[in-house]
Amino acid sequence: MTFESGRTDMSSPLQASVGKELAADLLDTVLTSLDDSKAEDAVTLDIAGKSSLADYMVIVSGRSHRHVGAIAEHLLKDLKSAGAGSATVEGLNICDWVLIDAGDVIVHIFRPEVRGFYNLEKMWAPEEDAAPHYIG
């Protein structure tokens, strides 16, 4: 059944702008937590136009296995405090590469050697002919 009332549905643009604001707030929480944990070489990529997985990808390094684990644990605690406690975590048992999927923000925490090997920044970076969209 269809209705032809002549009225346009305004919920989609409003939901998109609210979603973008929530993603930006979540990104602020993530970046603050990573900074507090002394994460190194932070790179934030805006991947909203490249993937439907998330709006932002954050890639950081920790100095050792222990530091990578501590950064991840601190971030998970801060996400829970901010109301985004349903993050999915992979790699916390080994701490070479910990992936935290917080919905609109995906965080990769690497040991430097592992980060250099996988080089995610190059894979997800904007095309060379486009202007860079790095956030931080």
Side-chain angles (χ1 to χ4, degrees):
M1 178 187 304
T2 61
F3 296 98
E4 295 183 32
S5 64
R7 185 177 147 224
T8 58
D9 185 15
M10 298 299 286
S11 63
S12 294
L14 180 59
Q15 288 174 348
S17 67
V18 169
K20 194 70 169 171
E21 288 177 24
L22 291 174
D25 290 344
L26 182 60
L27 178 63
D28 288 341
T29 299
V30 166
L31 293 176
T32 300
S33 177
L34 295 172
D35 188 50
D36 290 348
S37 297
K38 307 292 189 236
E40 299 176 348
D41 303 322
V43 173
T44 304
L45 300 169
D46 184 346
I47 61 168
K50 287 189 162 198
S51 174
S52 62
L53 294 174
D55 289 339
Y56 300 102
M57 181 180 294
V58 180
I59 304 168
V60 298
S61 295
R63 293 180 298 277
S64 65
H65 294 282
R66 187 176 298 242
H67 189 214
V68 168
I71 292 168
E73 292 289 346
H74 186 250
L75 177 57
L76 290 168
K77 182 181 74 94
D78 288 346
L79 288 170
K80 188 172 184 178
S81 296
S86 61
T88 304
V89 184
E90 295 290 332
L92 197 54
N93 56 341
I94 298 173
C95 295
D96 274 338
W97 173 6
V98 177
L99 174 111
I100 299 175
D101 183 350
D104 290 328
V105 180
I106 297 174
V107 183
H108 297 274
I109 309 167
F110 288 102
R111 280 189 318 105
E113 303 83 28
V114 179
R115 182 176 180 174
F117 179 78
Y118 287 102
N119 201 5
L120 292 182
E121 292 95 331
K122 183 177 180 182
M123 181 172 30
W124 285 96
E127 278 84 44
E128 291 181 25
D129 58 337
H133 295 285
Y134 292 102
I135 305 297

